[in-house]
């Protein structure tokens, strides 16, 4: 039996997800795509999980699509392009975007290579912390392709149109410091796991329902009309007023105490 392509460890409220093909610089093959989706479903179903740390085993986050492996089974590859009629996402898109759709924040820790499919996976996280010398690239341009694993939706959200076009059209390789300057990375550090964990610890002090609802609110209103955005705000706020974790936060806040939250109730499980 082959080793799992994606490792999942749950320690209390934190799920650690690690791409596990270090000998291939965590190159993405079809099996890894399916495992990313399966692991995200496991996390979604576990209401005790309140944050995800996403990283790669070995010296790289991911060097991108493993073309040799994927192209060796063209029937499965082409089948992977067929979109789900309900979500409108195909296999390649869903494996990345499922992390944006999780009802808990996802924080990517980037070292080494962050190319192509790996970059699009990192961009689908809610936050990204990188080493200064990590290598980032929308590498599809090198192969005469376009970013097609949800990358265009992420790029247009994070950077200006001219920067998105430059990165996608040239496939140039930039370092982590430049990625941070462009807005692709949330922060840069010699050990990016440290600020990533600091952010997670800060989020854990807040109601898991409030965090989940806020993520949903920002995702759903990103391109909504103002009237629609206001309606979504109202519905989510009413849900928060009824949440037990809201009452716990307010009670503890009034007493100057640290709240004791129960499992997440908001968001699909």
């Amino acid at each position: 039996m082959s080793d799992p392509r994606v490792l999942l460890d749950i320690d209390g409220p934190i799920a650690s997800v690690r791409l596990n093909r270090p000998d291939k610089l965590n190159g993405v093959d079809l099996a890894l795509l399916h495992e990313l989706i399966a692991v995200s479903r496991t996390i979604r179903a576990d209401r005790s999980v309140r944050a995800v740390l996403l990283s790669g085993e070995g010296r790289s986050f991911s060097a991108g699509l493993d073309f040799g492996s994927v192209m060796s089974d063209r029937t499965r590859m082409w089948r992977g392009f067929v979109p789900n009629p309900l979500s409108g996402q195909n296999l390649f898109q869903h494996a990345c975007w499922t992390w944006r759709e999780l009802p808990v924040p996802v924080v990517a820790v980037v070292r080494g290579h962050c190319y192509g499919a790996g970059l699009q996976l990192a961009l689908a996280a809610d936050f990204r912390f990188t080493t200064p010398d990590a290598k980032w690239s929308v590498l599809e341009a090198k192969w005469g392709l376009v970013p097609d694993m949800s990358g265009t939706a992420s790029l247009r959200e994070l950077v200006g149109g001219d920067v998105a076009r430059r990165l996608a059209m040239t496939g140039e390789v930039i370092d982590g410091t430049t990625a941070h300057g462009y807005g692709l990375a949330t922060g840069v550090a010699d050990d990016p796991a440290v600020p990533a964990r600091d952010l997670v610890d800060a989020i854990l002090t807040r109601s898991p329902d409030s965090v989940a609802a806020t993520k949903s609110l920002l995702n759903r209103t990103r391109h909504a009309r103002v009237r629609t955005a206001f309606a979504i705000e109202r519905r989510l706020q009413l849900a928060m007023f009824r949440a037990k974790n809201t009452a716990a936060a307010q009670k503890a806040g009034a007493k100057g105490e640290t709240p004791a939250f129960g499992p997440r109730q908001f968001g699909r499980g």
Side-chain angles (χ1 to χ4, degrees):
M1 181 181 295
S2 62
D3 293 333
R5 296 290 203 266
V6 180
L7 301 175
L8 170 63
D9 295 306
I10 297 177
D11 183 9
I14 302 175
S16 174
V17 177
R18 304 186 306 283
L19 308 185
N20 188 38
R21 297 188 76 205
D23 56 321
K24 299 291 186 180
L25 298 179
N26 295 317
V28 175
D29 62 4
L30 294 174
L32 192 148
L33 293 174
H34 285 288
E35 289 190 29
L36 279 171
I37 294 170
V39 167
S40 75
R41 288 173 177 165
T42 298
I43 293 171
R44 180 185 293 274
D46 189 340
R47 292 182 178 271
S48 69
V49 173
R50 297 175 54 192
V52 176
L53 288 169
L54 177 63
S55 61
E57 286 285 277
R59 59 192 180 92
S60 286
F61 181 77
S62 173
L65 197 69
D66 184 343
F67 279 97
S69 174
V70 172
M71 297 298 286
S72 68
D73 190 343
R74 296 197 175 215
T75 299
R76 287 186 66 203
M77 181 195 72
W78 290 120
R79 192 181 298 132
F81 274 96
V82 179
N84 181 300
L86 296 179
S87 69
Q89 302 170 22
N90 66 24
L91 170 66
F92 299 92
Q93 295 162 335
H94 185 39
C96 291
W97 203 247
T98 186
W99 302 94
R100 182 63 63 90
E101 294 179 326
L102 278 181
V104 296
V106 179
V107 185
V109 178
V110 175
R111 298 183 178 88
H113 303 85
C114 187
Y115 288 169
L119 173 64
Q120 294 179 83
L121 175 61
L123 295 185
D126 299 290
F127 309 94
R128 290 149 299 282
F129 291 91
T130 179
T131 60
D133 60 352
K135 298 177 180 179
W136 294 58
S137 176
V138 185
L139 202 61
E140 286 79 5
K142 178 179 179 179
W143 311 112
L145 301 172
V146 300
D148 66 337
M149 294 177 62
S150 79
T152 51
S154 301
L155 276 173
R156 72 182 184 186
E157 174 185 328
L158 295 171
V159 302
D162 55 343
V163 174
R165 293 183 187 94
R166 173 176 175 170
L167 295 175
M169 290 177 180
T170 68
E172 66 179 294
V173 178
I174 59 176
D175 62 24
T177 301
T178 303
H180 180 235
Y182 282 166
L184 296 175
T186 308
V188 58
D190 291 334
D191 184 356
V194 173
R197 182 56 192 260
D198 287 344
L199 176 58
V200 166
D201 288 343
I203 290 172
L204 293 180
T205 67
R206 305 307 179 194
S207 162
D209 295 315
S210 171
V211 171
T214 299
K215 179 170 177 174
S216 176
L217 173 63
L218 295 176
N219 284 345
R220 293 167 62 188
T221 60
R222 187 168 58 248
H223 303 296
R225 294 178 300 174
V226 171
R227 184 184 182 93
T228 301
F230 289 170
I232 294 171
E233 280 184 0
R234 292 193 298 271
R235 288 196 295 270
L236 290 176
Q237 191 71 303
L238 288 173
M240 291 304 98
F241 279 129
R242 295 192 291 267
K244 292 182 179 179
N245 281 319
T246 302
Q250 294 176 350
K251 182 178 179 180
K255 296 181 178 180
E257 299 174 348
T258 300
F261 295 117
R264 173 180 56 82
Q265 298 300 312
F266 180 83
R268 292 183 292 117

